[in-house]
Amino acid sequence: MCKMKSFALIILLAIIFLYGLGQTVVIDFDEGVYAEISREMLTDQQMIVPLLNGEDFFDKPPMIYWAQVAGYKMFGTTTTGARIFNALAGVATVLIIYFMSIPALGKRLAGRAALITASSFLFVYLTRIAMTDMFLTLYMTLCLLTSWYAVEQVIKGEGRGTRLFWLACLFSALAMLTKGIIGILFPLLTALIYLVTIKRLRLLFRASWLIPGALILIIIGFSWYLMLGFTHPEGFAFMKELFLKHHLGRFSSAMEGHSGPIFYYVLVLLVGMLPWFPYIGQAFIAAPVRDSQKPSSRFIRMFLIYSVIVLLFFSFAATKLPNYILPAVPGFAILIAALLEKNEVSLSHWAIISGWISGLFFALLGGVFVALPIILSTLPDRLGKHALKAPVLAEPVALGVTPWLAGLLLVACGIFIIVITRKKKSEQLFSTLLSCALVLNFIMIFMILPTFDRLMNRPLVNLAEQAAALTPADGKILLYKISKRPSANFYSGLYTLAIKEKQFAHLPELAEQNAIKVGITTRYYLNQLQERGIPVHELASDTGYVLFDFPAE
């Protein structure tokens, strides 16, 4: 490991989390939804009812919206305002892992666990976009750590741990306000299993723990649910959509096509925690958790139990999205850090295999980036007429040297990891993996994502901002054959009216009925409208998207 101390590196990573938050626009669908709901809350000067495009939206509890409203008040209704508190939650999570793990693990191991967390691309990416998962990860991590310290007070005879347990319940309640019932479910299952393994299950049922803890969960965790139920015209009807559809429904059946095999999250973590995750198999087997007399063993055991619960829960859930697994990342980071600490003297056979896997995955990812310009150039021919429906393929895609440079850097990282692994230089392994992780994050955050933004997201936003200049403050923008793009609402500051293709013949009539001046569609569908004799006039275009109006007859 390099001579810089862990804390200095953590601060460096924190700068990466925060630098240039507003350089890319909000990403549809989810981030755009949260940003727009928060904007509408701020505009309406109310903090209870989530509204999207002027309609009730009960998919998620309000924590992300409240944080974004606070961000808008500080930085304006901007991308930075939408993301700033999410990014700070990421920074706080890393610092908490470091400082609160030191008493159990020591500075070196705590520092490594924090650095593995902070350098995992999945964690970095979800720090820099506004989603519910980073707040959930923060509150879950705080809940676990404070509850562990509460139990440790009892084990060591230093107190009853009551106030720390109450604090853990508070963080669980905040997790409930972030993402619902899993805010209680994950900590409860972890506590039950962990306390059984250390033969302290009775602690959970102490009156001084159980009764105040339950009250905290009810009063704070259910506060928004109760306020919304008592104030909304439809009462508690929203509970059906929130809990039956978006809790039980997402677990029992795949929603919106977001499904995957049972090993889905192993693949997500393999890429999202590259180059660290290939070591996780050995980390589980060699985890120093057997000695219940050692605080470090108890600490690592608790996080192992928790991470396995999160992984199994989401693996068996029918609806799968990459961001769901984020709360398990700190636990996996602690396990991997413990393994690499154990292998400091000599690399084991399995550690060498893991190093080769990491290196080969870097090289493979680099090869994909190098091949990307060729792949994109052949897509129109491969897809035929279907390619015309994709705005990004409506015009020649200019990627410049970015994919080549990114690919070569990643291949170089892969070779570097393999060379260090082959030489069995265990003392250099951690610093090598960390350096390559930093290179990967730099490439993805400052090279690949801006290119993706330029081609996929910003064109629609540019036209939405132009449409806003042509639309009255109380007007709407028509979106023809463009669905689930709330970023258009967010950057225009207006409501939108989405029209399906089967309604094409009534487009001018629908626009007139809703006093709509302009609309946005893609080049393919604008040409189709004109071929069908619908009077539309092109005003501006950007990378396959077109702003149009309805000329006066």
Side-chain angles (χ1 to χ4, degrees):
M1 186 172 178
C2 62
K3 294 182 180 180
M4 292 180 65
K5 292 185 177 181
S6 296
F7 183 69
L9 285 170
I10 291 168
I11 296 300
L12 173 63
L13 284 163
I15 294 172
I16 295 175
F17 291 172
L18 295 168
Y19 179 78
L21 278 180
Q23 70 172 344
T24 58
V25 300
V26 298
I27 300 172
D28 291 320
F29 174 66
D30 288 353
E31 189 186 22
V33 165
Y34 302 144
E36 172 58 15
I37 289 174
S38 304
R39 184 195 71 81
E40 293 186 30
M41 275 187 163
L42 181 62
T43 300
D44 296 342
Q45 292 296 301
Q46 61 87 21
M47 301 291 286
I48 303 299
V49 184
L51 299 172
L52 178 63
N53 206 34
E55 299 181 359
D56 291 347
F57 190 89
F58 298 128
D59 282 28
K60 293 292 186 295
M63 183 62 70
I64 182 73
Y65 312 137
W66 294 345
Q68 288 182 320
V69 168
Y72 296 158
K73 290 183 177 180
M74 294 174 63
F75 296 94
T77 309
T78 62
T79 310
T80 300
R83 291 173 173 168
I84 185 63
F85 281 102
N86 189 84
L88 291 174
V91 174
T93 301
V94 174
L95 292 174
I96 286 163
I97 291 169
Y98 176 62
F99 285 111
M100 294 187 71
S101 298
I102 288 174
L105 304 177
K107 284 188 176 181
R108 179 183 172 88
L109 185 50
R112 287 187 166 192
L115 286 170
I116 292 172
T117 301
S119 62
S120 296
F121 172 67
L122 180 66
F123 189 91
V124 176
Y125 175 68
L126 291 173
T127 295
R128 292 180 58 85
I129 67 170
M131 303 281 278
T132 58
D133 307 276
M134 188 55 68
F135 286 107
L136 179 66
T137 302
L138 171 63
Y139 295 135
M140 288 286 92
T141 303
L142 281 167
C143 178
L144 288 173
L145 288 166
T146 49
S147 60
W148 183 82
Y149 277 107
V151 174
E152 285 297 299
Q153 275 194 1
V154 176
I155 291 174
K156 295 177 180 179
E158 296 175 353
R160 297 179 60 83
T162 305
R163 292 181 180 178
L164 283 171
F165 182 77
W166 296 349
L167 190 59
C169 291
L170 171 62
F171 292 130
S172 178
L174 294 175
M176 282 189 63
L177 290 173
T178 302
K179 211 161 183 177
I181 201 67
I182 61 174
I184 292 179
L185 181 63
F186 290 165
L188 180 60
L189 289 176
T190 302
L192 287 170
I193 297 172
Y194 174 68
L195 291 174
V196 166
T197 65
I198 63 170
K199 300 178 181 179
R200 296 277 183 169
L201 185 58
R202 289 183 180 180
L203 285 176
L204 197 59
F205 300 99
R206 278 184 173 180
S208 60
W209 282 30
L210 184 61
I211 297 173
L215 288 174
I216 290 170
L217 289 170
I218 293 170
I219 294 171
I220 297 176
F222 287 94
S223 58
W224 172 76
Y225 304 90
L226 295 172
M227 285 189 290
L228 181 59
F230 286 126
T231 58
H232 195 273
E234 296 182 11
F236 287 89
F238 76 94
M239 300 285 273
K240 180 179 179 181
E241 179 177 354
L242 182 60
F243 285 105
L244 294 182
K245 179 180 178 181
H246 292 288
H247 280 64
L248 295 176
R250 285 181 180 272
F251 188 87
S252 60
S253 59
M255 294 184 64
E256 300 165 346
H258 298 305
S259 61
I262 196 167
F263 54 85
Y264 175 90
Y265 288 108
V266 174
L267 299 178
V268 170
L269 289 167
L270 188 58
V271 176
M273 290 189 73
L274 196 66
W276 308 108
F277 197 71
Y279 295 88
I280 194 63
Q282 188 187 5
F284 271 115
I285 295 170
V289 298
R290 293 171 179 81
D291 188 355
S292 296
Q293 301 304 311
K294 294 177 62 176
S296 61
S297 293
R298 294 193 293 267
F299 186 89
I300 295 171
R301 182 189 301 182
M302 181 190 67
F303 272 96
L304 185 151
I305 292 168
Y306 167 72
S307 295
V308 169
I309 287 171
V310 175
L311 178 61
L312 290 177
F313 179 88
F314 287 121
S315 294
F316 283 101
T319 303
K320 292 180 172 66
L321 284 169
N323 48 291
Y324 287 177
I325 199 63
L326 182 68
V329 168
F332 290 135
I334 290 170
L335 289 171
I336 294 168
L339 172 71
L340 295 176
E341 186 86 357
K342 192 175 182 179
N343 281 330
E344 191 64 29
V345 178
S346 63
L347 289 179
S348 68
H349 177 69
W350 287 108
I352 293 171
I353 293 175
S354 299
W356 272 89
I357 293 173
S358 286
L360 291 174
F361 260 92
F362 260 92
L364 178 63
L365 187 59
V368 170
F369 282 133
V370 169
L372 193 59
I374 300 172
I375 295 171
L376 285 178
S377 66
T378 61
L379 272 181
D381 293 333
R382 291 175 180 274
L383 297 176
K385 64 179 183 179
H386 296 290
L388 299 175
K389 297 180 181 181
V392 70
L393 297 177
E395 302 171 6
V397 180
L399 297 177
V401 299
T402 297
W404 297 90
L405 180 58
L408 291 174
L409 284 172
L410 291 174
V411 170
C413 283
I415 294 171
F416 188 32
I417 292 172
I418 291 172
V419 168
I420 295 298
T421 301
R422 286 190 63 190
K423 291 183 177 181
K424 298 184 179 181
K425 293 186 175 182
S426 58
E427 70 279 0
Q428 297 179 15
L429 180 61
F430 184 85
S431 57
T432 298
L433 295 174
L434 180 60
S435 299
C436 292
L438 291 174
V439 171
L440 174 62
N441 280 292
F442 179 84
I443 289 170
M444 296 300 295
I445 298 300
F446 299 112
M447 295 173 66
I448 301 302
L449 290 179
T451 301
F452 181 85
D453 176 74
R454 173 174 61 84
L455 296 173
M456 302 295 291
N457 298 325
R458 194 169 291 274
L460 177 62
V461 167
N462 289 340
L463 294 185
E465 291 174 337
Q466 293 181 50
L470 301 172
T471 304
D474 59 348
K476 293 183 180 180
I477 300 171
L478 188 146
L479 299 180
Y480 179 66
K481 283 297 292 180
I482 298 175
S483 61
K484 295 187 176 181
R485 299 300 297 269
S487 61
N489 300 64
F490 179 68
Y491 289 100
S492 68
L494 300 171
Y495 292 154
T496 58
L497 178 65
I499 302 298
K500 298 179 181 179
E501 185 176 4
K502 64 182 180 181
Q503 299 172 287
F504 79 92
H506 306 288
L507 207 59
E509 180 183 341
L510 290 169
E512 185 177 356
Q513 289 174 356
N514 291 275
I516 291 176
K517 303 291 184 182
V518 295
I520 302 173
T521 188
T522 64
R523 171 66 61 190
Y524 175 84
Y525 286 107
L526 182 83
N527 293 341
Q528 189 181 75
L529 287 172
Q530 291 174 334
E531 290 170 0
R532 289 171 169 175
I534 305 300
V536 291
H537 170 251
E538 179 178 333
L539 297 175
S541 65
D542 193 335
T543 317
Y545 287 98
V546 181
L547 177 67
F548 66 90
D549 66 358
F550 302 91
E553 297 181 0

